[in-house]
Amino acid sequence: MRISLSADELTGVAEELPAELRRRGHDPIMHGAYIAEERPDWAWASETAARDVAEGRAEQAIVACWTGTGASIAANKVPGIRAALCVDAQTADGARRWNDANVLALSLRQTSAAELGEILDAWFAGNTSDEASDVENIGHLSEIESAGG
């Protein structure tokens, strides 16, 4: 799977993510601090990664900044993106299942290497729920987006 990947600095799990994604058989598309020619700041880097998903260059994205909050906010400004800040495997599973999240946001400060593995396991194993209420909720997100807020 093509995974767009961005971080605003190469610290913590940002250093491990490209190799970990490749080890899992994914093809990372690098942005932000990973690419010298790109602006590394969280708003720009996260937007670029999210646009890869929205425009079909990647199936999913992982965005990271110190807290993960800014990266998730920036990614969620891109139409069609459902970014979820996940600090543990249970949150990652729920984000995929109930929210059909297509962008994983991570905290560089809070995510340990062990937690990263668990979060990625849950994220990539997660399947979107087909329960009527969950489908309706995801559909409503698109309606909100189309209405402009």
Side-chain angles (χ1 to χ4, degrees):
M1 179 184 321
R2 289 171 300 157
I3 308 288
S4 190
L5 178 60
S6 73
D8 64 349
E9 59 181 306
L10 298 181
T11 189
V13 295
E15 296 173 316
E16 300 171 37
L17 269 166
E20 180 61 21
L21 290 173
R22 287 184 189 101
R23 188 186 70 73
R24 292 169 179 261
H26 301 294
D27 179 22
I29 303 167
M30 314 289 260
H31 294 293
Y34 294 110
I35 304 295
E37 297 80 26
E38 289 190 11
R39 187 168 180 168
D41 303 276
W42 57 265
W44 283 265
S46 299
E47 175 195 9
T48 302
R51 287 199 184 283
D52 279 350
V53 175
E55 296 170 7
R57 290 183 294 277
E59 287 78 21
Q60 295 180 7
I62 299 174
V63 297
C65 68
W66 190 243
T67 66
T69 305
S72 66
I73 291 170
N76 275 317
K77 296 295 181 183
V78 176
I81 296 304
R82 291 173 305 282
L85 174 55
C86 298
V87 297
D88 57 39
Q90 293 77 18
T91 305
D93 177 64
R96 293 288 296 134
R97 182 184 325 204
W98 298 308
N99 311 127
D100 192 24
N102 53 10
V103 174
L104 169 62
L106 296 172
S107 167
L108 297 174
R109 178 188 68 80
Q110 189 173 4
T111 309
S112 70
E115 288 170 323
L116 175 63
E118 294 170 4
I119 290 168
L120 292 177
D121 287 347
W123 181 266
F124 291 124
N127 293 311
T128 304
S129 170
D130 58 2
E131 290 185 30
S133 64
D134 297 328
V135 172
E136 286 181 56
N137 275 299
I138 300 307
H140 186 62
L141 293 177
S142 296
E143 293 169 3
I144 295 169
E145 196 171 74
S146 295

